[in-house]
Amino acid sequence: MEMLKSGASKVVGTRQVLRALKAGRLSRAYVGNDADTYIYQQVVRAAEEAGVPCVRVATMKELGMLCGVAVPAAAAGVLR
């Protein structure tokens, strides 16, 4: 999670994470444990298919704060 806090380039939001995973641009994905089940499974499956580690974060609110946004985030990722 330190990678999210640092100045690393990142994407925030389910759509952006899924696009970046399909394009092979992520080195690590993050997903909130309290995200909608469908969204959670979508991100985890896409990360597995891309061979990218997927880290669970306790809440979407915490994930949003780690990314530096004022709203909860279901998913985020660190770009390569």
Side-chain angles (χ1 to χ4, degrees):
M1 289 200 264
E2 294 299 320
M3 295 174 83
L4 283 176
K5 290 181 187 178
S6 72
S9 297
K10 56 189 161 259
V11 292
V12 181
T14 305
R15 284 185 187 170
Q16 289 83 355
V17 169
L18 292 174
R19 284 183 196 146
L21 283 167
K22 288 179 185 174
R25 296 178 40 223
L26 287 188
S27 62
R28 180 163 294 184
Y30 296 85
V31 65
N33 266 346
D34 59 343
D36 179 70
T37 304
Y38 176 74
I39 291 172
Y40 181 88
Q41 290 175 348
Q42 231 185 351
V43 173
V44 171
R45 282 190 197 130
E48 286 175 358
E49 289 173 8
V52 173
C54 188
V55 179
R56 296 179 189 172
V57 179
T59 65
M60 294 189 324
K61 184 175 181 178
E62 181 182 348
L63 184 55
M65 288 176 20
L66 287 170
C67 294
V69 295
V71 294
V78 176
L79 296 169
R80 291 178 190 237

